[in-house]
Amino acid sequence: MPRRQRHWAGRPPYLERPHFQFSSATLNGARPVNPERLPIDLRTGAPMRSRSQPGYYPGYCTLSQQKFWDAATRETIRKRVEETPPIRFFTPGEARLMEILCEHMMPQNDRDAAHKIPVLPFIDERLFHKKTPGYRFEDMPPDWDAYRLGLQAIEQMSRANHGRGFLELSWREQDELLKLIHDGKPMPGAEEIWKRMPPHRYWGLVIQDCVEMYYSHPFAWDEIGFGGPAYPRAYIRLEGGEPEPWEVDEKRYEWKAPPSCVSDPVEPEIATHKFHPPHGQGGTH
Amino acid sequence: MNVDLQQPIGGEFEAPHDHEHHLGPMQRLDSPMRRFRDDDEIDYLVVGVGSAGGVLLQRLARGGFKVVGLEAGPFWDTERDWVSDEKGSHKLYWEDMRITGGTDPLTFGANNSGKGVGGGSVHWAAFTPRFHPSDFEVYTRDGLGADWPISYWDLKPYYELLELEMPVAGPAQFPWGDPHGYAYGAHPMGGVGDTLIDGCTRLGIRVSAGGPVAILSGSRNDRPHCIYRGFCIQGCKVGAKASTLITHVPDAIRNGAEVRSLSMASRIELGKNNRVSGVHYFNREGRARFQKAKAVIVSGYAIETPRLLLNSACAEYPNGLANSSDTVGRYLMAQAGTVVLGRFDQLIRMYKAPPAHALTEEFYETDPKRDFARGFAIQTVGPLPIAFAKQMMAARGAWGWGMRRVMMDYNHWSAWGVLGEILPWPENRVTLSVERDEFGIRIPHISFNLHDNDKKLIDWAQKKTEEIMRAAGATEVLHEARYAHLVGAARMGSDPATSVCDKFGRTHDIANLFICDGSVLPTQGSANPGLTIQALAARTADYLISQGATIFNSDKRDMTPPPIRRHLSPPGTHWKGVPRLA
Ligand SMILES: Cc1cc2nc3c(=O)[nH]c(=O)nc-3n(C[C@H](O)[C@H](O)[C@H](O)COP(=O)(O)OP(=O)(O)OC[C@H]3O[C@@H](n4cnc5c(N)ncnc54)[C@H](O)[C@@H]3O)c2cc1C
Ligand code: SF4
């Protein structure tokens, strides 16, 4: 007889035992988050408290639909949610730096400790297994070297311009240093490294990995109102943005990014800097 | 009766516990597979069982030949191996290392070919427009690019065959190119298609709704219809979207073909008398083997095909097998695939419906009023969250809180893809890098550069598409430059000095070595290449079947077109459907 696929009834086990090994909650102890680093509620002007589910779809839960998913998909998602891979590629020192880097790339302070999405462990897993996306730009070193070089560059630029290591900088100083890499004009101090690795390519590598890890997690699907796996059950309301019976309607709230961050400009700078050709994702045609 | 909507109808979905090989929820691999030995001299050895290779294998097996398909990737069991998940689907793509350069480097992996039985047809979006008659004579009409050694009318009967074999669903009247209709009804619209239709209609641009796509709009035989789950690019577990894995390979096996999966070809052997004698490959245990064959057909995709030929260089062909013309690897083409994204006040929910469901070819042909030759199509695309986040990284420079914010609006965005014709240029090419893969085979290096005509076309297409997006009501419009669909790199032509193979795919240099896949395309039009690739495969198969004995025993080249063998279609496909237009 086949073993029945296990799935979670009631409170899912990942809530009983949060297992995220490198979330900032563990790094900083369970200290409350500095309000400077929380997004602002625009109705009240006050920092928004961390919550289990940010986003405009309160109460929406893709995981609650698991029994409608096929077994192979259910197992893939279960593993992703329950089994955070250990850190094996990065050294402990690098991992501390990477953890902060990932927090800047995909900040999660609006998520409570039990609902943080592990990003770094999955990047580490990819690099540890030497998984590639199937290509490398001729002006780039292999991904695993690029990650190490990037961390060195960040540390060198921090010391050259602030006289302190990156981890000792304020959150805003860190954000600003990274923003300059994003702009393709990194601070002085790591010219040798940027000669071997164009900053915009390094940036593309890291941000693509970060979004892949974050937006592959069911918590992120709930946040953005994505339907998640849908086989064998179908979608039936294709038009007009209507929700399926098990989806929920949008409930927007206005917010702005935390004061310590520069990653959410009021006017997005629309691709003035050249990210070409940005990525190898075949999400289209 | 009370239906509990909280419970799946028919109970929870369990992992398959039978010993059968699943090709969708209903179809099974229903016959044992014939196995040849390495030293059996088989008739035709096909390298790569993808879009072209799958069709070829099926035809040759039905034609009664001893045929083996070597496939580098696995033989998928769709229920066990595939998932309804973006991140979990990397294994479908060819993610072996490729090095990319030139002034406008292409990206590979998920953006290009497949690995595993079915190849790229496993993860394609399944848009299946035909090429236009003008595509076959670009040089004559525009003085740029190249002419094909065949015309649209040579290929038309094969388009008609493949449109039924896949089959293709679409409107009753498709007005562009050679106007025609589709046998299977058009699909319902999703949110993205609605925006395209709105925008086009407001500007008086004709638009095709609900196809042409190789996705079932009604169930047929053991394949259910589409359930609009939007994961086409992750492989269709439903079996509604055509892939040669489910449309042609089962019939090939039923008729005696062997599909040897997890077998990576490394070198084609040149034997005596300027004829190839077989292929060296690494089997599933990683051991080096050699399969003898009377003739070899390379169907490995526009990168792997030239790579294999270049890696098969030998004393007689020091620059690569069948490369006396120095065109192997050259004239590689990608289509301009700029994605235009629009944010709407209302919700779109673009993850629903297949990404491919509406398009316009109104700007396809050369227009003397524009300052460039050739044109483009505009098609719906439906990026899932990870793909969309990467587009926002590129189009908007989003990161950090800006990324979180724009992603919270995912359901407000609609995305369309430009599909623009980039012309063939000799310096856009595949060469070998000094680096080697896990088997010790040299990996490919690809160099890609846009030329003046290409740049003007891309720019114009982007602006026009943005204009339509605004007309549809988008309040914010962004774009991301990218490319799609690699073809060329071993092109066919009448002149052996400037092409690799003739109009049937036979290499000019070696009489029993053929090429049959997207590599042979001299130009690429603004239509997705998959249908054309499969139609060409059916045509090449007819030639191989007609000429079998001649090919095996002589170097004679008979250039008479073969008869069209309609009875070789997989059973239950020919004359099926509901034709609405003669
Ligand atoms: C995201 C995405 C969406 C797409 N959407 C569309 C679309 O909507 N419409 C359309 O028409 N096209 C689409 N395409 C393109 C289409 O998939 C390809 O053009 C088509 O599959 C190419 O066919 P082919 O036969 O040349 O190669 P493939 O189908 O890629 O087949 C090549 C096969 O050969 C195997 N192989 C390669 N080298 C070796 C070797 N050395 N030894 C053994 N086996 C080998 C590979 O594993 C593979 O299975 C899309 C592509 C992508 C990436
Ligand atoms: S949208 Fe239709 S064709 Fe695409 S994966 Fe889903 S069921 Fe298959």
Side-chain angles (χ1 to χ4, degrees):
Chain A
M1 271 302 285
R3 201 170 58 83
R4 266 188 91 75
Q5 278 283 324
R6 182 170 53 113
H7 66 91
W8 308 301
R11 196 173 152 81
Y14 57 83
L15 289 187
E16 308 298 345
R17 43 186 172 86
H19 47 277
F20 310 129
Q21 301 171 355
F22 271 86
S23 74
S24 57
T26 28
L27 280 181
N28 312 332
R31 271 186 286 126
V33 186
N34 175 353
E36 280 277 286
R37 290 184 45 204
L38 287 172
I40 309 286
D41 184 333
L42 280 182
R43 273 171 322 173
T44 62
M48 291 165 64
R49 277 195 307 144
S50 303
R51 51 179 83 192
S52 60
Q53 185 173 326
Y56 313 140
Y57 300 86
Y60 175 54
C61 180
T62 38
L63 281 176
S64 73
Q65 298 299 309
Q66 285 174 71
K67 54 188 167 222
F68 294 92
W69 305 349
D70 67 278
T73 302
R74 197 153 55 209
E75 177 56 16
T76 299
I77 309 300
R78 182 201 65 76
K79 265 179 104 168
R80 190 174 301 155
V81 173
E82 285 197 335
E83 296 171 13
T84 306
I87 302 292
R88 287 165 294 186
F89 170 80
F90 291 111
T91 63
E94 288 168 343
R96 280 177 60 80
L97 203 55
M98 267 306 292
E99 176 63 27
I100 299 301
L101 182 61
C102 293
E103 277 262 323
H104 285 274
M105 293 297 203
M106 287 311 304
Q108 304 191 39
N109 275 330
D110 53 349
R111 292 186 163 277
D112 63 25
H115 290 89
K116 296 230 193 269
I117 295 174
V119 171
L120 174 60
F122 289 104
I123 298 181
D124 185 277
E125 182 185 44
R126 163 164 111 72
L127 298 172
F128 178 75
H129 291 297
K130 293 213 151 101
K131 284 238 170 66
T132 75
Y135 64 95
R136 190 179 89 222
F137 293 105
E138 63 184 358
D139 52 5
M140 280 291 280
D143 291 359
W144 27 98
D145 295 339
Y147 266 95
R148 294 227 147 91
L149 284 172
L151 292 178
Q152 287 165 21
I154 288 171
E155 197 56 24
Q156 286 173 14
M157 293 187 302
S158 173
R159 295 202 181 271
N161 296 281
H162 296 280
R164 282 168 293 148
F166 186 73
L167 292 177
E168 280 96 65
L169 302 186
S170 73
W171 199 261
R172 190 178 178 97
E173 285 167 334
Q174 290 175 344
D175 229 40
E176 281 167 345
L177 184 149
L178 296 176
K179 169 85 163 57
L180 289 171
I181 307 179
H182 161 277
D183 295 346
K185 305 174 215 127
M187 287 177 169
E191 287 77 4
E192 283 310 307
I193 292 179
W194 298 128
K195 252 185 241 157
R196 292 166 62 189
M197 176 171 84
H200 69 282
R201 294 233 198 278
Y202 167 70
W203 185 266
L205 176 70
V206 179
I207 185 82
Q208 286 185 72
D209 275 339
C210 288
V211 297
E212 170 136 5
M213 306 318 166
Y214 188 89
Y215 291 105
S216 61
H217 198 286
F219 292 168
W221 302 340
D222 299 344
E223 170 185 327
I224 65 175
F226 167 60
Y231 169 74
R233 178 175 60 187
Y235 291 129
I236 48 174
R237 304 180 84 188
L238 306 182
E239 292 180 282
E242 301 281 1
E244 304 293 318
W246 44 276
E247 292 179 325
V248 304
D249 262 325
E250 185 187 46
K251 272 210 194 82
R252 296 183 73 85
Y253 54 83
E254 295 303 319
W255 59 280
K256 76 175 194 205
S260 64
C261 294
V262 295
S263 59
D264 186 22
V266 185
E267 291 293 322
E269 328 105 281
I270 291 164
T272 42
H273 34 265
K274 226 177 172 196
F275 283 104
H276 88 102
H279 63 78
Q281 175 29 263
T284 52
H285 51 322
Chain B
M1 198 184 76
N2 260 345
V3 179
D4 181 358
L5 284 179
Q6 301 308 310
Q7 294 302 326
I9 300 164
E12 197 177 306
F13 212 74
E14 290 186 357
H17 49 266
D18 51 33
H19 295 290
E20 295 180 87
H21 190 127
H22 298 240
L23 301 172
M26 290 153 74
Q27 191 178 176
R28 303 284 181 272
L29 205 55
D30 54 6
S31 58
M33 187 159 68
R34 183 166 177 191
R35 306 266 176 194
F36 293 93
R37 294 206 327 261
D38 282 348
D39 51 2
D40 287 340
E41 194 186 35
I42 57 163
D43 297 327
Y44 287 115
L45 178 59
V46 181
V47 179
V49 186
S51 289
V55 174
L56 208 50
L57 213 59
Q58 184 264 345
R59 291 293 205 277
L60 295 174
R62 274 199 168 248
F65 291 93
K66 288 193 221 162
V67 39
V68 172
L70 288 183
E71 168 52 52
F75 198 148
W76 303 114
D77 174 306
T78 62
E79 280 298 337
R80 295 179 176 91
D81 299 337
W82 294 358
V83 289
S84 237
D85 181 58
E86 259 186 302
K87 179 164 183 264
S89 298
H90 280 284
K91 54 180 179 273
L92 303 185
Y93 314 122
W94 187 282
E95 294 202 330
D96 296 11
M97 184 53 82
R98 290 164 173 167
I99 300 193
T100 182
T103 51
D104 304 275
L106 302 170
T107 54
F108 299 95
N111 201 29
N112 284 291
S113 46
K115 188 172 190 176
V117 176
S121 70
V122 160
H123 63 68
W124 67 339
F127 263 126
T128 35
R130 298 180 187 175
F131 282 14
H132 290 196
S134 64
D135 289 327
F136 296 77
E137 43 189 54
V138 171
Y139 186 76
T140 303
R141 286 167 178 250
D142 295 289
L144 285 166
D147 284 346
W148 291 47
I150 58 173
S151 76
Y152 171 83
W153 312 104
D154 293 317
L155 205 53
K156 177 170 176 171
Y158 293 99
Y159 277 140
E160 291 173 340
L161 275 181
L162 264 298
E163 280 169 0
L164 289 176
E165 291 176 26
M166 290 178 171
V168 178
Q173 299 200 21
F174 188 78
W176 300 285
D178 171 29
H180 58 280
Y182 290 97
Y184 280 75
H187 284 271
M189 284 292 93
V192 179
D194 281 340
T195 58
L196 183 63
I197 291 170
D198 279 355
C200 286
T201 308
R202 284 195 190 126
L203 298 179
I205 297 164
R206 290 177 299 175
V207 59
S208 168
V213 287
I215 297 176
L216 284 172
S217 50
S219 301
R220 188 175 81 170
N221 301 337
D222 47 9
R223 288 176 52 201
H225 63 71
C226 179
I227 62 170
Y228 305 100
R229 70 196 251 279
F231 280 93
C232 303
I233 285 163
Q234 287 68 32
C236 178
K237 285 195 83 148
V238 178
K241 187 189 73 172
S243 68
T244 56
L245 173 71
I246 64 169
T247 56
H248 287 80
V249 167
D251 195 51
I253 291 174
R254 234 176 266 134
N255 286 284
E258 177 186 343
V259 173
R260 205 171 292 165
S261 54
L262 297 171
S263 297
M264 171 77 181
S266 54
R267 195 160 60 81
I268 303 166
E269 179 74 24
L270 187 71
K272 286 192 294 267
N273 304 327
N274 192 37
R275 294 175 66 83
V276 297
S277 55
V279 173
H280 296 272
Y281 69 100
F282 290 91
N283 73 2
R284 56 179 63 219
E285 283 94 39
R287 267 189 230 116
R289 308 297 294 259
F290 178 73
Q291 174 67 57
K292 269 170 65 172
K294 292 182 190 153
V296 172
I297 306 140
V298 189
S299 303
Y301 190 70
I303 305 293
E304 296 306 311
T305 290
R307 176 190 179 200
L308 182 59
L309 294 174
L310 295 174
N311 268 320
S312 302
C314 54
E316 294 85 341
Y317 294 97
N319 299 325
L321 204 57
N323 193 21
S324 66
S325 61
D326 188 31
T327 35
V328 170
R330 293 188 185 273
Y331 303 102
L332 177 75
M333 290 170 280
Q335 281 166 326
T338 308
V339 173
V340 170
L341 303 125
R343 188 190 183 284
F344 290 79
D345 290 339
Q346 76 272 22
L347 288 176
I348 305 286
R349 293 193 189 258
M350 69 175 158
Y351 54 88
K352 297 186 190 183
H357 64 273
L359 61 80
T360 174
E361 292 189 353
E362 201 74 358
F363 308 100
Y364 195 107
E365 301 287 342
T366 298
D367 179 347
K369 293 202 279 299
R370 307 189 294 228
D371 63 344
F372 55 87
R374 307 305 297 158
F376 60 95
I378 305 172
Q379 309 184 328
T380 55
V381 294
L384 296 181
I386 297 172
F388 180 71
K390 292 180 180 182
Q391 285 163 354
M392 285 296 142
M393 176 262 326
R396 196 185 224 238
W399 67 291
W401 287 104
M403 180 65 86
R404 289 284 309 282
R405 176 188 298 286
V406 70
M407 287 302 292
M408 284 190 196
D409 274 354
Y410 171 65
N411 282 342
H412 284 273
W413 288 80
S414 176
W416 307 336
V418 165
L419 204 60
E421 177 163 357
I422 291 176
L423 294 167
W425 306 102
E427 64 277 27
N428 288 348
R429 68 188 290 209
V430 182
T431 51
L432 295 177
S433 150
V434 290
E435 291 179 44
R436 289 169 190 270
D437 70 7
E438 54 175 314
F439 300 111
I441 312 170
R442 285 173 70 184
I443 67 173
H445 177 286
I446 298 96
S447 181
F448 195 73
N449 315 278
L450 292 178
H451 292 65
D452 194 43
N453 195 75
D454 311 326
K455 290 182 189 163
K456 284 184 181 150
L457 183 151
I458 290 172
D459 195 49
W460 204 91
Q462 175 207 322
K463 298 211 167 90
K464 178 53 83 180
T465 311
E466 288 176 345
E467 180 192 332
I468 303 171
M469 187 65 95
R470 284 201 193 86
T475 50
E476 181 184 348
V477 178
L478 302 172
H479 79 275
E480 178 215 9
R482 61 182 284 284
Y483 309 96
H485 308 150
L486 297 195
V487 295
R491 67 178 183 180
M492 59 168 153
S494 324
D495 181 358
T498 57
S499 60
V500 179
C501 55
D502 67 22
K503 62 183 176 181
F504 301 113
R506 180 189 280 204
T507 57
H508 294 301
D509 287 344
I510 301 170
N512 67 339
L513 175 63
F514 287 75
I515 298 167
C516 177
D517 61 11
S519 320
V520 304
L521 269 53
T523 61
Q524 59 178 351
S526 305
N528 321 56
L531 173 69
T532 300
I533 290 171
Q534 293 192 33
L536 280 169
R539 182 170 184 272
T540 294
D542 273 352
Y543 183 78
L544 296 172
I545 292 168
S546 298
Q547 298 282 326
T550 323
I551 293 170
F552 300 151
N553 302 313
S554 78
D555 287 352
K556 199 172 142 258
R557 280 170 200 262
D558 181 345
M559 299 307 274
T560 354
I564 299 156
R565 292 186 168 71
R566 296 200 161 80
H567 61 281
L568 294 183
S569 292
T573 61
H574 194 44
W575 299 127
K576 295 288 157 136
V578 194
R580 291 185 177 135
L581 201 78

